[in-house]
Amino acid sequence: MATCILSPTATHTQTPGYPVQLSILLLTIDRTAADSLTAALSRPGHGVTTVADPVDLFAAASGYSLVIVDRVKDPYTVKAVIEELRRDDATSRLPVLAIAQADDIEERIALLEAGADEVITKPFDPVELEARVEAVSLRFERSTSAVPVVPLATASIGDPNARRVVTVFSPKGGVGTTTIATNLGVLSAERRTKSTLLIDLDLSFGQVASHLNLQPKQGLLELVRDESALREAELFRTYAVVHPSGLQVIAAPPAPGFASLVTPEHVELVLARAVEAYEVIIIDAGATRDERMLAIFARSDTVVVPVVPEIPALNAVHLLLDQLSETGAIGGQTLFVLNDMFAKDLLRRSDIETALGASIGSDLPYDPLAYLRAANEGIPVVTGSPKSSAAAKFRELADAVLGKAVVPAAASTNGTDPAPKKERRGLFGRR
């Protein structure tokens, strides 16, 4: 572990008898906050050094695993401190957790824009703090890994380098987010049984359980009330109900009135544990547009956005995603899926892509009866109508998002190997 010489104003604390997991440099002028943060971070074994002067922070930061910025003295601001850390080559990639002093989304966005890897708002629970620190550390380790990441379109589910968190989201309701999420979930489970989790984070009107004909006795609402399950992956898994395909599901709250009981902090803790417990996590995010959405996007490797061929709806999607991209809320790749909801083509594909400002990565055929039947019977299209054109498109989408399924090659009738099929690459970055 790197070390550095600090000024006489710095203080260092570590709980005796614990190995140091992370070396953390904390900047704050609030003595009470420093004591509270140090106590919370020392319990799991982190070594914490506290400084009150930003000059001391800049001099020492490169020797630490993580920097936490709380309250600073004038004329500095938290935002200015983070920006200075990002300008210095020695600390430009150092993980930084910022502490917002008020529950204000504008302040959070400003700190993320300045370069903070994570933002936590006062007051916070020590468990939440531990989870945020762990999340920042894990993301940093992955980003600096010497192992090259396999391109998403060619990575298989079993590949340790494959992307793992896929969110299905649209700012417009009724465009197929749940249909896509459930079919992707079933296809992923077929490839890797017991290693795929589908979380219904459409907190007010989630219908994942209904689409899969499940009647869970517990779900997300009960999970967020269990602090132990939010800390331990094995306990976390007990809140999932198992679909016949092997897909595991955490259901949304049973009624809209319970949605407010699931906070952004809960969402972050749920996703942190999910990443530990499963190889693939698929999230039905519905049409949520609040801080919980930001928490979801922060964890997502790929965001699948279903769209319909209507110019107003397409423009709304474009504007929202541009805003989120500019603020850094969406860090992963974005894949647009065109849901052909109308019997006649009202718009050309080129018109749709112009309105979006991006390429269409996949499309779903017009087949309202197949989708309606699947929803009413609780049997996903890929299971209930496996030979349909819609099921074929869902498999193509799964290949694009999750990687090609690994299928043993069968020998041809003349004893020679079959010719390899040309690979279909389905992911497109936004323009």
Side-chain angles (χ1 to χ4, degrees):
M1 182 179 297
T3 59
C4 62
I5 299 174
L6 296 177
S7 72
T9 58
T11 60
H12 175 79
T13 304
Q14 179 190 344
T15 302
Y18 284 82
V20 176
Q21 296 182 22
L22 294 174
S23 57
I24 299 174
L25 183 58
L26 168 64
L27 172 64
T28 183
I29 58 173
D30 186 336
R31 189 68 259 174
T32 301
D35 292 341
S36 176
L37 288 163
T38 298
L41 293 168
S42 296
R43 271 194 299 274
H46 302 310
V48 183
T49 301
T50 302
V51 293
D53 192 329
V55 173
D56 293 330
L57 178 89
F58 299 142
S62 62
Y64 284 79
S65 309
L66 172 71
V67 166
I68 298 178
V69 184
D70 182 29
R71 291 181 58 193
V72 299
K73 65 181 182 180
D74 294 334
Y76 287 97
T77 64
V78 174
K79 182 174 181 289
V81 168
I82 297 171
E83 289 173 338
E84 180 64 27
L85 288 170
R86 292 299 175 234
R87 279 193 291 268
D88 189 336
D89 290 341
T91 57
S92 61
R93 300 189 64 195
L94 182 67
V96 176
L97 186 153
I99 299 179
Q101 304 302 310
D103 188 11
D104 179 3
I105 191 170
E106 294 298 327
E107 181 184 3
R108 295 187 65 185
I109 290 174
L111 294 176
L112 290 170
E113 288 178 334
D117 297 283
E118 186 71 86
V119 179
I120 189 169
T121 304
K122 288 181 176 178
F124 50 81
D125 186 272
V127 175
E128 178 195 355
L129 177 65
E130 288 182 30
R132 299 287 190 94
V133 167
E134 177 186 353
V136 173
S137 177
L138 285 173
R139 289 204 296 269
F140 179 73
E141 288 177 6
R142 289 171 185 160
S143 69
T144 57
S145 172
V147 180
V149 176
V150 177
L152 193 56
T154 60
S156 66
I157 292 293
D159 193 310
N161 293 319
R163 302 293 184 94
R164 298 202 299 174
V165 182
V166 178
T167 292
V168 187
F169 164 82
S170 175
K172 177 178 172 58
V175 298
T177 54
T178 301
T179 296
I180 292 173
T182 51
N183 280 277
L184 282 179
V186 168
L187 289 172
S188 177
E190 287 178 356
R191 303 172 182 206
R192 199 73 174 176
T193 305
K194 296 183 180 179
S195 290
T196 299
L197 175 68
L198 172 55
I199 309 176
D200 193 347
L201 285 172
D202 185 355
L203 299 175
S204 295
F205 303 104
Q207 294 295 318
V208 164
S210 174
H211 276 236
L212 294 172
N213 196 25
L214 297 173
Q215 296 180 335
K217 295 181 179 179
Q218 59 184 8
L220 187 65
L221 185 61
E222 291 75 21
L223 170 60
V224 299
R225 293 173 175 173
D226 186 343
E227 291 187 3
S228 296
L230 292 176
R231 290 196 302 265
E232 300 177 27
E234 287 306 311
L235 289 176
F236 175 89
R237 292 176 68 100
T238 65
Y239 283 88
V241 60
V242 182
H243 183 260
S245 65
L247 172 67
Q248 299 199 32
V249 178
I250 294 180
F258 295 108
S260 62
L261 300 179
V262 181
T263 67
E265 290 72 24
H266 286 143
V267 171
E268 290 167 348
L269 289 168
V270 166
L271 298 183
R273 295 291 81 72
V275 169
E276 290 182 1
Y278 296 89
E279 291 184 10
V280 178
I281 300 97
I282 296 173
I283 301 166
D284 180 359
T288 303
R289 280 180 281 182
D290 57 18
E291 285 195 78
R292 292 172 294 197
M293 177 187 68
L294 297 180
I296 294 168
F297 287 161
R299 276 282 184 178
S300 301
D301 297 300
T302 302
V303 179
V304 177
V305 183
V307 295
V308 294
E310 296 176 332
I311 290 295
L314 294 169
N315 286 337
V317 171
H318 184 192
L319 290 172
L320 176 66
L321 294 181
D322 271 353
Q323 178 185 8
L324 294 173
S325 296
E326 288 171 3
T327 61
I330 295 184
Q333 299 184 39
T334 305
L335 171 65
F336 291 95
V337 177
L338 177 63
N339 188 355
D340 291 309
M341 298 180 67
F342 307 114
K344 292 183 64 177
D345 291 334
L346 304 179
L347 295 172
R348 294 177 300 177
R349 190 183 183 102
S350 59
D351 294 332
I352 295 170
E353 292 181 336
T354 298
L356 283 174
S359 299
I360 295 293
S362 185
D363 62 280
L364 299 177
Y366 174 76
D367 195 345
L369 292 179
Y371 300 132
L372 184 60
R373 177 187 172 191
N376 287 339
E377 296 180 354
I379 304 175
V381 172
V382 295
T383 303
S385 305
K387 295 183 179 180
S388 66
S389 59
K393 286 293 186 179
F394 278 121
R395 290 192 177 89
E396 288 183 6
L397 177 60
D399 285 344
V401 174
L402 302 170
K404 288 283 189 180
V406 180
V407 180
S412 63
T413 53
N414 62 6
T416 61
D417 291 335
K421 293 182 179 180
K422 186 177 180 180
E423 182 181 278
R424 180 183 185 277
R425 292 181 176 269
L427 270 183
F428 295 86
R430 302 195 65 212
R431 288 204 292 254

